[in-house]
Amino acid sequence: MNFEDFCAQNNIIVKYYSFTTKVRGCCIKVDDYYIVAINPRFSNNSIKRTLIHEVMHIMQNHLLCDQSEYEQCEAEVHQLIGGMIQLIDSSSGLFF
């Protein structure tokens, strides 16, 4: 399954929006869809990492969390992505 199929199957729409350089991306839920907004002002590598980060928030149901749980949600995503990177690095040496 490619990324486009994954997004279609999970009702994720990716849009590019020129935020300030303080924001790499964000995600919101609108009706039955998730919108991931990515800032195109960053490098391709940064855009890919941000996209993965935001999709992980969706997959972990973080959009339903209270603002008081923000730090915990960010830590969870960083831990999950770190585990993915270690797994990929140990098996093929390739990630991005």
Side-chain angles (χ1 to χ4, degrees):
M1 172 185 306
N2 64 29
F3 184 72
E4 289 80 12
D5 292 340
F6 172 83
C7 288
Q9 185 176 4
N10 289 284
N11 296 332
I12 298 171
I13 299 169
V14 178
K15 298 284 186 179
Y16 293 91
Y17 182 82
S18 292
F19 298 105
T20 69
T21 54
K22 293 182 180 184
V23 177
R24 293 181 185 271
C26 66
C27 55
I28 60 171
K29 186 168 196 254
V30 178
D31 299 324
D32 293 332
Y33 288 88
Y34 298 96
I35 299 173
V36 175
I38 300 295
N39 191 343
R41 294 181 184 197
F42 291 90
S43 70
N44 285 339
N45 190 38
S46 181
I47 288 170
K48 288 177 187 177
R49 288 179 182 272
T50 302
L51 186 54
I52 290 168
H53 180 97
E54 298 304 331
V55 169
M56 292 297 284
H57 279 303
I58 293 168
M59 296 292 100
Q60 295 299 312
N61 290 318
H62 287 168
L63 300 182
L64 302 175
C65 295
D66 291 333
Q67 184 64 27
S68 64
E69 299 172 305
Y70 174 81
E71 294 295 329
Q72 179 183 350
C73 291
E74 288 297 311
E76 183 178 341
V77 166
H78 286 284
Q79 182 180 18
L80 289 168
I81 291 172
M84 289 171 54
I85 290 170
Q86 287 178 343
L87 178 65
I88 291 168
D89 283 347
S90 67
S91 65
S92 68
L94 299 173
F95 191 71
F96 296 111

